[in-house]
Amino acid sequence: MSLTRQILCSSTLCNADLCGGNGEVVADQAKHHQSNATVAIKRKMEKLSAKHVKALFATKKLAFSTSMIMVVWAFIGLAFPLYNAFIPYTLATKGAKFGDSSTYITYRNSCIIAVLGVPGAMLGGVLVEIRLIGRKGTLCLSTLLTGIFIYGSTTAKTSNTLLAWNCLYSFFSNVMYAVLYAYTPEIFPTKDRGTGNALTATANRVFGIMAPIIAICGNLETSAPVYTSGALFIAAAVIVLILPYESRGKASL
């Protein structure tokens, strides 16, 4: 056998025409590795099951609670980007002329709105432990006020007026989120909380994706999207009232 043929036969890239039986060996090894990979994938897939999802719908009360909290997250997920996407156009159609779109004003207002959200989260942490209010009362009230202040922002004619409305909106939306993130896992059974949180987050993100699609396809000259955003917050507040579990002062399920 020539030196060139020996080199080709020692390479894993050689084929059956050059190496004779060695090509079959390489093919067998490839099949063996493919078989091992298939077995490994099947083994990983066996760990996936719907038992945690089924547990969240095991009883009528638990199924209702899981479904409603997912709806709350979905409504909020759509309402926030819907408002942010359409409010500039809504105000423009109402004749608002701010004339102060400088970088300084933009970042100053953003900073003010963000700072005022901090005490909102702190207030939420206090209110949830008050017996007559609790988690549900705080979440319902803050969500309702968030929707109301969104409606108020549509009346703004000047930059400072819009900033004031957005500060109130930011304050109460931070109260809402502070409670929502704490309350949601508390109403799921402990062993299924990860799955429950995943379901609510999925509902939130899926509906959030719809907002830019609406902005692309919708009529920017109408105020309907912003009013819909406020209505979604108010609807979410009503749903919170009918949730069957109040987790304040109670042990985990």
Side-chain angles (χ1 to χ4, degrees):
M1 184 182 291
S2 66
L3 179 60
T4 303
R5 186 176 179 82
Q6 291 177 0
I7 294 174
L8 289 172
C9 288
S10 64
S11 172
T12 58
L13 298 178
C14 67
N15 54 36
D17 292 336
L18 291 174
C19 304
N22 285 351
E24 296 179 359
V25 173
V26 172
D28 289 341
Q29 290 177 345
K31 290 180 180 179
H32 178 69
H33 289 309
Q34 184 178 7
S35 177
N36 287 343
T38 303
V39 172
I41 293 173
K42 289 182 177 179
R43 187 168 58 250
K44 293 294 184 181
M45 293 298 292
E46 287 175 355
K47 296 180 180 180
L48 299 176
S49 70
K51 67 177 183 179
H52 290 292
V53 176
K54 292 178 180 178
L56 295 174
F57 297 87
T59 65
K60 289 183 179 180
K61 186 176 180 180
L62 191 55
F64 179 77
S65 177
T66 301
S67 300
M68 289 301 98
I69 196 65
M70 287 178 64
V71 171
V72 169
W73 277 91
F75 282 2
I76 292 173
L78 176 59
F80 264 113
L82 200 61
Y83 170 77
N84 292 327
F86 278 92
I87 188 61
Y89 302 101
T90 298
L91 294 178
T93 59
K94 289 178 175 291
K97 297 181 180 179
F98 300 129
D100 55 359
S101 58
S102 66
T103 302
Y104 169 75
I105 294 295
T106 300
Y107 281 97
R108 185 205 66 179
N109 290 355
S110 296
C111 183
I112 293 172
I113 292 170
V115 168
L116 287 178
V118 175
M122 297 173 65
L123 177 62
V126 173
L127 292 178
V128 294
E129 296 300 334
I130 298 177
R131 184 172 61 87
L132 296 177
I133 302 178
R135 270 69 160 166
K136 286 177 57 177
T138 305
L139 181 56
C140 175
L141 184 61
S142 58
T143 306
L144 178 64
L145 290 173
T146 300
I148 290 173
F149 288 125
I150 280 180
Y151 283 134
S153 67
T154 63
T155 66
K157 297 295 185 181
T158 66
S159 177
N160 289 335
T161 304
L162 179 61
L163 175 62
W165 283 116
N166 280 338
C167 285
L168 292 169
Y169 155 78
S170 175
F171 179 85
F172 286 103
S173 66
N174 273 272
V175 175
M176 177 194 71
Y177 264 129
V179 181
L180 188 61
Y181 274 104
Y183 174 69
T184 298
E186 289 180 343
I187 63 176
F188 295 128
T190 304
K191 63 184 180 61
D192 305 311
R193 282 182 176 176
T195 303
N197 288 337
L199 290 177
T200 55
T202 299
N204 183 265
R205 296 298 185 270
V206 169
F207 274 73
I209 293 172
M210 295 169 60
I213 297 176
I214 294 172
I216 293 172
C217 302
N219 182 3
L220 298 181
E221 296 181 359
T222 177
S223 301
V226 174
Y227 288 115
T228 301
S229 175
L232 287 171
F233 278 111
I234 294 173
V238 174
I239 293 173
V240 170
L241 280 180
I242 63 175
L243 286 171
Y245 297 111
E246 169 55 66
S247 57
R248 191 198 71 80
K250 297 181 181 179
S252 301
L253 295 174

